[in-house]
Amino acid sequence: MAAPARRLCHIAFHVPAGLPLARDLQRLFGFQPLAVREADGWRQLALRSGDAVFLVNEGAGPAEPLYGLDPHHAVPSATNLCFDVADAGAAARALAALGCSVPVPPVSMRDEQGAATYAVVSSPAGNLSLTLLDRTGFCGPFLPGFRPVPSAPGPGWVSHVDHLTLACTPSSSPKLMRWFHDCLGFHHLPLSPGEDPELGLEVAAESGRGGLRLTALRAPTGTEVPTLVLAESLLGVTSRQDQVEQFLARNGGPGLQHVGLYTPNIMEATEGVAGAGGQLLTPPEAYYQQPGKEKQILAAGYEPSLLARQGVLLDGDRGKFLLQVFTKSLFAEDTFFLELIQRHGATGFGQGNIRALWQSVQEQAARVQEA
């Protein structure tokens, strides 16, 4: 373990100037402005909901944006994960010794609120870079170089980041798992009993043609780092791309496909998001008509028709369950979406819900192709 991550500081996006991502995060999902920097052709706005922080980098300039990289990427996407580490300089040197590319060597930043040191490391997951940050000497609301932005309290729909899902090329999950283990200290988190780390959890399509392979990774105990999920397509005979294949094609390779945001009240959150104009993914009707599904939902204390109306999925057993809802893509290029998740004792991701998402995306793609 070369650079153990202690907590996730923020997730950064790179978008063209004028794209309304920052506005949509505020208006649709209840994020509030935290701090801003405008310099060198960049507008960098940090937004926060609970402990979840998104940094939206707009534009392009002659220099790199602070605390990240200009990915020179053709489409808007989530491009950087920033992790808190004990010593950014030592972490960068350790990763370089393992053969990692460090495009931004350790840099120290200071303003009237203190100092921070960071380095940026390339990852094997496409255009996704990792920032290693030590801000123990900083007492401001975000980071040195940013101006605080006063804002009113948000609705509180999101409390923290629950998980991060990377879309990967077929058969690449074992290699990525070893990289995140050796470099950042992640360990395999089984999603099913007796799961082989090399194979992960296979969610096959009902037709038997294609499906998804999911491999979950968790950071060492005692850290505040979300679960990392690696998603790849199972090779099958089908003429239609699944959502991972679509992402790879539109993003130009692997990357951060979606972020799971934890909500303390998913019914209130989905009603608020939908009421603000947010677009949620509609599960297939058959999901709520599965044998035993109505009984399962009622046993958890929810009304099946209300969950169906708001597109909320429920999965679990033995008194432990979770609820999930997925948004449509935040970008026209279909390179990123959000998930809202609420847990009641369940620690996985719900195999039935994963299959429902896969089928829903497939059905919507089929309708688009037939139109």
Side-chain angles (χ1 to χ4, degrees), residues 324-338:
Q324 297 166 293
V325 65
F326 301 88
T327 74
K328 294 184 179 180
S329 179
L330 273 60
F331 304 129
E333 294 80 0
D334 201 15
T335 50
F336 183 79
F337 63 90
L338 292 171

Side-chain angles (χ1 to χ4, degrees), residues 245-308:
E245 292 171 320
Q246 290 174 1
F247 177 91
L248 295 175
R250 294 169 181 174
N251 190 60
L256 185 60
Q257 181 208 40
H258 80 267
V259 171
L261 297 173
Y262 189 87
T263 175
N265 188 328
I266 197 166
M267 304 308 292
E268 177 185 318
T270 53
E271 184 176 357
V273 169
Q279 294 187 310
L280 304 175
L281 199 64
T282 302
E285 293 182 6
Y287 173 82
Y288 300 99
Q289 299 169 0
Q290 297 175 88
K293 178 57 68 175
E294 181 178 358
K295 180 179 179 181
Q296 182 188 39
I297 293 174
L298 290 170
Y302 289 88
E303 174 57 44
S305 62
L306 183 58
L307 260 62

Side-chain angles (χ1 to χ4, degrees), residues 209 239-240 246 361-371:
R209 299 186 299 177
S239 60
R240 203 174 292 130
Q246 290 174 1
V361 173
Q362 292 296 92
E363 289 179 7
Q364 290 196 11
R367 287 196 292 268
V368 170
Q369 289 182 2
E370 292 168 0

